[in-house]
Each structure stands twice: as C-alpha cells, then as structure tokens.
C-alpha cells in the first residue's frame, strides 16, 4: 500500500458525500516527497475517538545535526522542541482537526514526537471531517494530503527551523541534567537559582507571574551564563520577586558548557521553612515539587532542580490503603488493627499521610516535601501539654517530628518541610530558612537558641545518633534487635497474580483527565497526587497498570515490578509500554512514584499473605 499523493487525494474527493464508514478504505501508507503519511486507524464515525495518523521524515532528508539527536536525553529535548514548533504551527493555522498534543512548562518524555535512528516522526490524532454522517472528502483531502505533509516539513526539515533555538533548547536540558547530577553527587537534594521566578500567574495557571518590570521571567539565571544579581523587586503586590539565596546556603556550579549558576543549594537532612502567612513558603515548596522535571526557558523555574525521586507527602483522608506498614507512625489503634499491615477503605487524615509517606519510601524516594497547609496536624506534631494530658499508650500516633531524624539517619530520606505555625521542628532541623516578603534568610542559629540547643550540640547529637545507629545496624545484622525496629527494612508487599485482573474488568485502563484513572469498574482518584503534571502522564499511568498486571505473579514485589517498568522504559522508551507497533496514542512518561501512587489507591488491590 505504497501509493502516491494523487491516489489518496483522488480517493478522498471521490468519497465526498458518501457515508462515513467508507473512510476506512484510506488506511495505509502514502508518500508526499520526503514525507510519509501513515493512516494507522480510521475512526468508525464522526463522534468516535479521532483517527490515528503518523507523519515521518527520514534522517537524510531532515538534515539535523547528529550531535543534537543521538543521545537519549538530547532526543527527548529535541523532540520536545519539535512538538512545540508543531503545536504553534497548528495554532497559527487554526487547524483544529489535527491534534498533536499540548506541551506544558515541563520537558517530558512523550510519544507525540519521536526521534529514532532512522528519522523523525509525529503521532497525530485527526478528526476526519463530516457533515452529519457524510464524508467531507474535499476537506479531508486538504487535511491529509496538504496540511499534514506541510506540518511535517515545518517540524522536521532542519532548514525550516531556528537552529539556534533548537540548540539552546537541547543545551538547557543538558545543563539541567548535569546540574542535577552534580547536586546529587555533592549531597544536595535541591537547588533554586538566584533570579528564579517561583510564583505562578494564578492558581489555575502554570505560567510565571510577571516581574515588576513586566517581562516574564527573563531575569537572572534563565538565559545568561553568569547567574546572580537577581532583581529582588521589594515585595510589592505588583509582580514577582525574584529568588535570592541566603548567603550561608549559596553555592555556585560551573557546568561543562561553561554556564555557571549561583543559588541556594539545600543539603540532605532536615530543612524547615518558616515565615509569616502569605510570605511565599508554599510557593517555594511547590517549585521544589515541580523541580523533579526540567522546565523550558522563560518558565522562571529553569534552575529549580530537585532530587528526581522527591515526593510530595500530604494528608488525603478517605483514600484506600492496602497492607501498608505504618507502624513507625501509628500503633495500638483502639480497633486493635495491626498497623504493620494496615488496610482500610477510608483512611483518616493522619493514617492517610502516614500511608502516603511509607509508600513513597517504598517506591524509592529519598526526599520528602511536606507543607503544613496540606498536613494532618496530629500526624506532624504533639505539644508538651498534650503529651502530659494524654498518656503515650493512649495515643496511637508517634508524630512525624519524632521520626524525621531517624528517617534520615536510618533510611537516608531527607525532608523539606514548611512549618509556619509551630516551633516543634526547630530541634530536629539541620537548617531553618525564614521567608520575609518572599526573601529567604537562614535563621538556624536563632531557632536552635530558642529551643535551647546550640548547633554544636546538634552536631554531637547527630554524631551519637550515628553511633547508636551503627550499633543498631550491628544488632540487626546479628538478628538480636527487636523485630519491629524502627524503619528496619519493611516486608515487601507482593500483589497477587490477579491483583490487577478483576473479573469484572473488560476494558483497558483509561485516564480521565489529569486526576483519575478508570480501572475496570473502579475509579482511581489521583487528585492528591500533585507531581502528576500532565494528563498524558495519567494516560501513561493507566498503561503502566496494564503492564504491571502482566508482571504480577504472586512472587514479584511492588518495588521489583516498578523497577522492571522503569528499566523497560529506559531501554525501549514509552512505545514499549503499550505494545502498539505503530501509533501508541499520546502518552508522557510518569515517574515510578506516580505509578505506585495509582496502584496504592486502587481499591481492588490484593496482596499475598
Ligand atoms: P505562604 O505559604 O507563606 O502562606 P504562599 O506561598 O501561598 O505563602 O504565597 C502567598 C502569595 O504570594 C501567593 O499568591 C503567591 O503567588 C505570592 N507569592 C509567592 N512568592 C512570591 C514572590 N516571590 N513574588 C511575588 N509573589 C509571590
Ligand atoms: Mg502556605
């Protein structure tokens, strides 16, 4: 079925006015000069999901520098650039029948545009035009034999692109990944560059708030090769105040590209962010949440780089929990429930937050991001009078403030915490950062003085904790420690072979917008999973659940299954997830943490034992 352009056009003209079902005969592959159009799947009626079409140009014709399109990560960045070119072009043409996908502020691995060893390909969804149930053949001919080949040439002929912009886009991505590696190697969990614009335009927009000068986020480190000199605007309501690091936490990094960056580097350990209400605390934490993904130039968060495993942890009452070991936080429930394998269809604020935390650790996070705004108070702290009034054995909850240090010393899991309402965390914080009108300063010494410890004491305490931890390790090795040792390696959770194969499920899992996956008869609620940023990632989560269903065999643990998916995705890319040979649909890569989040919220999950 290798037909010239005229054949497809002639067919479509001849189909004009015929009934819609006749479109199915155009399935096939057509050449238009350097462009190949693949019509993979034709919708059966005008209201069905759109037809699947791919456009492709070979490497030799496309003429891209191989230097930008060989490495896997470079390909992700270059494909992201080409997607943006295509999206802009379709908007300019006001061509709504052709759907290429809409990129956000993050650069994600996607199926929409791919670069492989042979060439460049876009995967499109096309609504084949109709009047009533009759084919509009002449319009269809314009779309398929004119607009699509032109789109391919706009996106994939290097000579049609702004080469400098493409190069900068790929280089920015390289630099972001290099900085991420450097931060990890030097034991920093995150970085916020001086000049970064953290606040967003509005509660429902992911675009940067304008700066007082009016130009959005061009300040500081975004494009220059010398960072620093952030233009703090004085905290007026008229625009965003650019980020400036406290001097004590300021670090500079010079990357192999020659770009150098200066900003606040957050060390591993426990960091607490304090400050008055509305002074920008949550905004910093949200920027760190998103910093697990690279951002595009002009976003304002290009140089907010976070440990890619960082997990936002919040209370989420009402969620289901299956077999979690929440015993480090919750014990002796009045119901007598065993909290080493805690199951509920309706978790409370504190139990849901404990579950979210232990699940994130199980899924491999090394950094917790916690905001007081979305936490259960009784999970976080308990003050002295309450400790005096309610005896420990009557209180099932050991608050997070008592666990945040062992979590770091025993499990290597760091925490960044926003706590403007309580001094309880001063004693356990390595660093306390205060925000005043969006401007951070380090107040660790004052905070420690207030609770009667000196930094030297905290050091000594940390040292003795480390020593006792070493003793503990030795005990564990000898098998003499008590079995419910705090944060000892938890029992792996192993789903049953049919865990994701409920008999009532007849259709594939499907994303419903950003916050829901339909799985058989149940709906998995992901509204609280805040690091899911793109609806295409939710589609990726749905596909991943189908993939997990194949892996689970009553022997493979959840952690092992997640690692298997990640390894497959690294090796084969997203196309490996769907099993489609041609057009996989529009999918973005979710992190293992978000896949785990969906699995953990599935109300039909069953575990072995
Ligand atoms: P907090 O958590 O301390 O109460 P938020 O982070 O919610 O404060 O921020 C309060 C308001 O200030 C929000 O509307 C936010 O968009 C705005 N804001 C935050 N950071 C900045 C900044 N750097 N410049 C200007 N406005 C900001
Ligand atoms: Mg807040």
């Amino acid at each position: 079925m290798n037909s010239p352009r005229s054949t497809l056009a002639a067919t479509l003209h001849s189909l004009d006015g015929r009934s819609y079902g006749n479109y199915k005969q155009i399935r096939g592959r057509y050449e238009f000069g350097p462009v190949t159009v693949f019509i993979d799947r034709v919708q059966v009626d005008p209201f069905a999901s759109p037809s699947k079409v791919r456009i492709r140009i070979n490497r030799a014709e496309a003429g891209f520098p191989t230097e930008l399109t060989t490495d896997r990560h470079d390909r992700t960045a270059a494909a992201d650039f080409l997607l943006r070119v295509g999206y802009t072009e379709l908007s300019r043409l006001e061509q709504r029948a052709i759907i290429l996908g809409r990129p956000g502020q993050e650069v994600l691995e996607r199926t929409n545009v791919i670069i492989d060893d042979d060439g460049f390909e876009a995967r499109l969804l096309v609504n084949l035009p109709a009047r009533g149930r009759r084919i509009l053949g002449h319009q269809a001919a314009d779309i398929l034999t004119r607009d699509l080949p032109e789109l391919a040439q706009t996106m994939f002929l290097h000579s049609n692109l702004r080469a400098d912009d493409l190069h900068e886009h790929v280089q920015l991505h390289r630099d972001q990944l290099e900085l991420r590696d450097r931060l990890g190697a030097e034991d920093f969990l995150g970085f916020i560059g001086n000049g970064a614009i953290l606040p967003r335009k509005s509660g429902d927009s992911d675009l940067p708030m304008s700066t007082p000068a009016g130009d959005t986020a061009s300040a500081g480190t975004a494009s220059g090769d010398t960072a620093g000199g952030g233009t703090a605007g004085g905290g007026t309501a008229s625009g965003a105040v650019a980020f400036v690091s406290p001097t004590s936490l300021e670090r500079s990094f010079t990357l192999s590209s020659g770009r150098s960056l200066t900003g606040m580097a957050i060390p591993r350990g426990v960091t607490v962010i304090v400050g008055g209400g509305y002074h920008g605390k949550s905004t910093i934490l949200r920027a760190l949440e998103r910093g697990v993904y690279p951002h595009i130039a002009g976003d304002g968060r290009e140089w907010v780089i976070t440990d890619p495993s960082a997990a936002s942890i919040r209370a989420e009452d009402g969620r289901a929990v299956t077999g979690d070991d929440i015993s480090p936080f919750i014990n002796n429930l009045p119901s007598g429930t065993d909290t080493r394998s805690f199951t509920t269809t309706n978790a409370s604020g504190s139990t849901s937050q404990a579950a979210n935390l232990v699940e994130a650790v199980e899924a491999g996070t090394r950094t917790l991001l916690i905001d007081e705004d979305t936490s259960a108070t009784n999970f976080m702290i308990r003050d002295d009078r309450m400790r005096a009034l309610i005896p420990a054995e009557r209180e099932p909850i050991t608050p997070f403030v008592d666990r945040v240090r062992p979590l770091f010393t025993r499990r290597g899991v760091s925490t960044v915490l926003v706590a403007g309402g309580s001094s309880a965390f001063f004693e356990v914080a390595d660093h306390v950062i205060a925000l005043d009108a969006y401007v951070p300063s380090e107040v660790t010494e004052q905070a420690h003085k207030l609770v009667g410890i000196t930094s030297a004491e905290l050091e000594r305490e940390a040292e003795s904790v480390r020593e006792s931890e070493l003793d503990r390790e030795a005990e564990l090795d000898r098998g003499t420690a008590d079995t419910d040792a705090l944060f000892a390696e938890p029992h792996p959770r192993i789903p049953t072979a049919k865990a994701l194969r409920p008999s009532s499920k007849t259709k594939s899992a499907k994303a419903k917008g950003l916050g829901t996956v339909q799985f058989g008869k149940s709906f998995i609620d992901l509204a609280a999973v805040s690091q899911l940023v793109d609806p295409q990632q939710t589609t990726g989560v749905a596909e991943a659940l189908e993939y997990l269903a194949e892996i689970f065999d009553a022997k493979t643990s959840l952690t092992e299954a997640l690692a298997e998916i990640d390894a497959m995705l690294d090796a084969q890319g997203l196309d490996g997830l769907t099993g489609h040979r041609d057009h996989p649909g529009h999918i973005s890569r979710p992190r293992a943490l978000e896949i785990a989040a969906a699995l953990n919220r599935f109300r039909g999950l069953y575990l072995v034992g």
Side-chain angles (χ1 to χ4, degrees), residues 43 63 86 106 135 152 181 217 233 235 288 318 320 331 386 433 461 476 497 505 538 556 594:
Q43 64 203 107
E106 288 84 15
I135 288 177
D181 289 347
L288 288 171
N331 270 298
M386 196 57 85
I433 298 166
E461 190 199 287
L476 284 170
K505 178 171 173 291
T538 317
T556 310
E594 277 68 42

Side-chain angles (χ1 to χ4, degrees), residues 366-586:
R366 294 192 61 220
T367 303
L368 306 175
L369 305 173
I370 304 182
D371 193 333
E372 60 184 352
D373 292 353
T374 47
S375 291
T377 307
N378 61 342
F379 174 76
M380 299 299 287
I381 53 174
R382 188 156 66 252
D383 69 20
D384 291 341
R385 287 183 197 142
M386 196 57 85
R387 285 179 205 252
L389 184 66
I390 307 292
E393 64 273 16
R394 308 298 303 164
E395 171 52 88
I397 304 175
T398 305
F400 183 65
V401 66
D402 293 348
R403 294 297 191 235
V404 62
R405 287 222 71 86
L407 203 48
F408 178 55
T409 52
R410 284 200 62 83
R411 297 299 301 271
V413 177
S414 300
T415 298
V416 180
L417 177 85
V418 166
S422 164
S423 62
F425 284 91
F426 288 0
E427 290 169 63
V428 293
D430 297 300
H431 295 278
V432 181
I433 298 166
L435 279 174
D436 182 16
Y438 321 124
V439 178
S441 58
E442 186 171 8
V443 295
T444 311
E445 273 196 28
Q446 295 99 299
H448 283 168
K449 211 171 276 165
L450 280 171
V451 292
I453 54 169
T454 62
S455 295
E457 272 169 348
L458 197 76
E459 281 282 295
R460 268 199 302 281
E461 190 199 287
E463 193 50 47
S464 79
V465 168
R466 271 193 290 277
E467 275 161 19
S468 68
E469 294 303 336
L470 289 177
D471 294 346
R472 189 76 167 166
E473 298 293 346
E475 276 177 42
L476 284 170
D477 287 345
R478 289 195 302 269
T480 53
D482 44 339
T483 45
D484 59 352
L486 189 56
F487 299 118
E489 208 54 54
H491 294 295
R493 289 192 299 151
I494 300 174
T496 60
K498 291 244 158 67
L500 290 179
R501 291 254 173 271
S503 54
S504 60
K505 178 171 173 291
T506 52
K507 290 195 184 127
S508 307
K510 219 178 161 62
K512 302 273 178 199
L514 179 63
T516 308
V517 168
Q518 182 172 9
F519 194 84
K521 288 203 160 62
S522 45
F523 291 85
I524 304 176
D525 183 359
L526 301 174
V529 182
S530 59
Q531 287 167 296
L532 206 53
V533 298
D534 182 319
Q536 289 194 183
Q537 277 183 314
T538 317
T539 307
V541 166
E543 296 285 353
L545 292 177
E546 295 291 341
Y547 197 91
L548 286 173
E550 299 291 321
I551 297 178
F552 290 140
D553 56 359
K555 292 189 199 74
T556 310
S557 74
L558 213 142
T559 325
E560 289 163 343
L562 290 171
E564 193 174 327
I565 283 205
D566 254 348
M568 182 280 292
L569 287 171
D570 284 346
Q572 302 176 33
L574 277 166
D575 285 3
L577 197 54
T578 62
H580 275 268
R581 269 167 299 110
D582 40 39
H583 192 313
H586 289 164

